[in-house]
Structures are given as C-alpha cells and as structure tokens.
Amino acid sequence: MRKKEMLAMLLAGGQGSRLGILTKTKAKPAVAFGGKYRIIDFPMSNCINSGVDTVGVLTQYQPLLLNQHIGIGIPWDLDRKNGGASILAPHVKGGEQGEWYSGTANAIYQNVDYINSYSPEYVLILSGDHIYKMDYSKMLDYHKANNCDCTIAVLEVGMDEASRFGIMNTREDDSIYEFEEKPANPKNNLASMGIYIFTWSVLKEYLARADKQFPDSDFGKHIIPMLLEDKGVMYAYRFKDYWKDVGTVESYWAANMELIRALPDFNLYEDFWKIYTSMDHQPPQYTAEGATVKTSLLSDGCEIYGAVYNSVLSAGCVVEEGAVVRDSILMENCVVGKNSIVERCIVDENSSIGENNVLGRGENIPNEDKPSIYDTGITVIGENTVLPADVTIGKNCVVYGHTDASHYTDGRLESGRSIILEDEVIS
C-alpha cells in the first residue's frame, strides 16, 4: 500500500453558472486568469509548493479542456508513479450505470477507493475555483496540534458581506461550535473558504453515513453539521492573505484588473511561491513602432500595433493598427481589428473582432436575458466568436457565435441585448 500522510482532493467539476457565457463550454476552473494561467493553476500550485504531491482532481461539467490542461501533472511536478495528479471523473462502480457527482461530499464518497489506495492519515479538500496562495502544510500542523477531526480555513470578511458566506461561530480558542450557511444576521465574520482538512478515519465514517441519508451529500449542508452534532473536534484556521472567489463576471474582471497595479494585492512574481501552468511555447511579445501599451499585462506571443491601456492579454493576442483596448481582458488568440475600440469587455479565447467596431460603450442597462449576471457594465464575447466589421455593441451585452452584419440592427447591438447562436457548430 502506498502510504501518504496527506493527499488532496480538488473539486473541479463545477459549472460556474454566474460567469455566464464564459463557462458555456468549459468548467469554471478552466477559465483563463491573469494572462497566462487558468483558475485551477492556483490550488494545484499551492499543493506542490506545500509539499502535497498526491492530488485527485474531480471533474464533471465540460471536462475536456480541464483534462487537457492538467494532463499528467507535468507543469506542477505531479507526474509521479507514487501519487501525482489523477483525473477522477464520475464512473461506474458496479451494475450497469454510474452516477453523477451530486454534492461535494458525494463526489469524495464516490472516490473512497482512490483515497484508500494511499492509506492517508489526513485528506485535504479543496475547491478548484479560487485565486489565492496558501501553505497547506501550516494548516496541517495546526490540525495536528489541536488533535482535530476537521479543520476549516476561514477568512475574516466585512460584516456587511458575511451573510453571503458560510459562517463559522467559534469559541475564544477558535474551536467551532456552530456553522451557519449564509445567515441573515451573522454572529461574526469568519467565512468558510471551502478548504478543509479531515482526519481520514473520521471523514470516511461520516461520508458513508451521509450517503445513506442524503443522495446529494454536501460538506456544508451535511458533513460539518453531523460532525458538530456529534461533538467532533473542529477548529477554524484563520487565513489572512489574499483570497478571491472569482465566481461572477464583475469579480472575475476586477480580480484581473487588480493584477496590473504597480503594487498588486496579489503578486504573481514571487520566486518563493510560484504559480505553475501548462502553456505551449510562444514567440516573444511584439510592440510595433507607434504602438502604445500602458499599465497592462501582455503574455507571450502578443502583437500590438494599436494601443492597450489597463488590460490583461493572454498569449497570441493581436491588436491591429489604430485599435484601442482599454480596461479589458482578452483571452488566448483573440484579434482586435483595425480602428476598433474595446472598453470594459471580457473577450474569450479564439475570438475575432472586426474592423471599425466599438464595444462596451452606451448606457449601463442590465442584460434583458440574465440581469443578475450581466449588470455591471461589462460586455462579454464568448469563445470562438466572430464579429463583423462596422458594428457597435453596448454595455452588459453578450455575443456568442459566428455573427455577421444581418445579426445587428443598423449595425448596432444596444446595451443589455444578446446574440447567442446556440445551434451553430463553431470550428
């Protein structure tokens, strides 16, 4: 038996529906971030930097890109015979059919055999969709020092925000006596980060019990309350560094924009805690004579002939002559045509913006189809989208597909409107 002190189970199967069109064809952890990374790179890098060399990655929703990105774990030094990175998809365990992961705890329960194959003392449960740097070995030391059944990482948030989180109510020594899921009147501001360390012998018992009672067993709804009811030893581990849930279009855009500050809150350039990623070799950046780039992140392979201000560009993007990109995010291999203006937009991978276009200007009218997702003035262009020349697109708009002039009334898409070509096969 391949014994491990601790292994990590990384939950990466979520759809991330609040990111709208950005997660139409890929899981939230596979969404690009910071020019050269994907969101899942951060917990994966935290694992290897913390000395956790066995990581099970649980995938479900639109897993193809995520699986290709992780591969056998080479960028994170997780291509190992004893441990390493393993993709754990829903599978048939017996009988004629399998079942989808129906809850966070259910997903772990379906992979008990994988965990048992390493006979770990402790299991680290992670989410694949947060941006942060954290040394999990320090959290494990804290777990062992307090002889815990479960340790939950918490972050102090503003009291005005606390009702949006799962809140851990603690005694003076930070032992947990109560958990409240999104309380209307929170007693404190210790928000769960969705990062748990369990003693495996304890967790295994509770997973089995929860599976018999709840078909959609979940850590926050079931495992943690059951353990509290049984007087299990649970402590809050206070994390006081940068952590961001980029679960909405606005928070995703804002977190990227924070990276271009002179002194960003979240530093991608620290040698002692590097963030690793899987990335093809790219040629160097090229900035043409007369081009302008100010306060921006440009990845390898970008070609700038126009102007880029306060923006984040992933590998292989081209900004043609006379074009202006401002306060925007361009993911891999996007092209902005000559004399086009892109303001406060997110443009997903492999998209092409025609010449003489204006994107992101107009009234801040919430999107008529999904006002709760697109309401902060950010226009989103889905992956593989083509925009013709000479069109104007307002704020809070969504465009997806191979569009042409016939899709725009008088060459315009007014603020709050969408063009989504659902049935089109995009190559």
Side-chain angles (χ1 to χ4, degrees), residues 109-126:
Y109 180 71
Q110 288 195 44
N111 289 282
V112 164
D113 290 344
Y114 167 80
I115 300 173
N116 279 337
S117 71
Y118 292 100
S119 189
E121 292 183 61
Y122 310 100
V123 173
L124 170 66
I125 309 294
L126 302 171

Side-chain angles (χ1 to χ4, degrees), residues 54-76:
T54 304
V55 183
V57 183
L58 286 69
T59 63
Q60 180 159 281
Y61 173 80
Q62 295 284 10
L64 179 59
L65 180 58
L66 198 58
N67 292 352
Q68 291 173 336
H69 181 68
I70 295 170
I72 58 173
I74 291 174
W76 305 274

Side-chain angles (χ1 to χ4, degrees), residues 265-383:
D265 292 335
F266 188 67
N267 191 345
L268 291 172
Y269 306 104
E270 296 167 330
D271 285 337
F272 70 92
W273 200 272
K274 290 183 177 180
I275 303 299
Y276 303 94
T277 188
S278 175
M279 192 171 186
D280 295 334
H281 176 72
Q282 296 282 346
Q285 302 168 13
Y286 175 72
T287 304
E289 183 178 357
T292 301
V293 177
K294 292 186 178 179
T295 323
S296 297
L297 287 181
L298 304 184
S299 299
D300 290 348
C302 287
E303 299 177 27
I304 311 300
Y305 303 90
V308 179
Y309 303 99
N310 305 310
S311 295
V312 177
L313 276 60
S314 293
C317 289
V318 179
V319 178
E320 295 185 348
E321 187 176 350
V324 177
V325 177
R326 189 187 305 273
D327 301 324
S328 294
I329 301 165
L330 305 186
M331 300 188 198
E332 283 190 20
N333 302 319
C334 290
V335 177
V336 180
K338 291 181 179 179
N339 302 315
S340 285
I341 297 172
V342 178
E343 291 188 357
R344 199 173 163 87
C345 293
I346 300 172
V347 185
D348 207 345
E349 301 175 31
N350 304 309
S351 291
S352 177
I353 295 168
E355 298 180 1
N356 304 310
N357 287 348
V358 177
L359 277 63
R361 287 184 175 177
E363 292 185 72
N364 189 19
I365 300 171
N367 187 270
E368 60 186 8
D369 298 320
K370 295 188 176 180
S372 64
I373 294 177
Y374 310 104
D375 64 345
T376 57
I378 299 168
T379 281
V380 182
I381 309 300
E383 67 176 339

Side-chain angles (χ1 to χ4, degrees), residues 178-200:
E178 184 182 36
F179 170 69
E180 295 182 288
E181 180 64 33
K182 299 181 179 179
N185 298 297
K187 298 174 183 176
N188 70 67
N189 63 341
L190 293 181
S192 171
M193 298 167 63
I195 300 170
Y196 316 113
I197 292 179
F198 285 93
T199 299
W200 175 231

Side-chain angles (χ1 to χ4, degrees), residues 165-184:
F165 295 90
I167 297 297
M168 297 295 161
N169 294 321
T170 63
R171 304 177 182 89
E172 288 187 5
D173 62 353
D174 279 338
S175 60
I176 299 168
Y177 68 86
E178 184 182 36
F179 170 69
E180 295 182 288
E181 180 64 33
K182 299 181 179 179

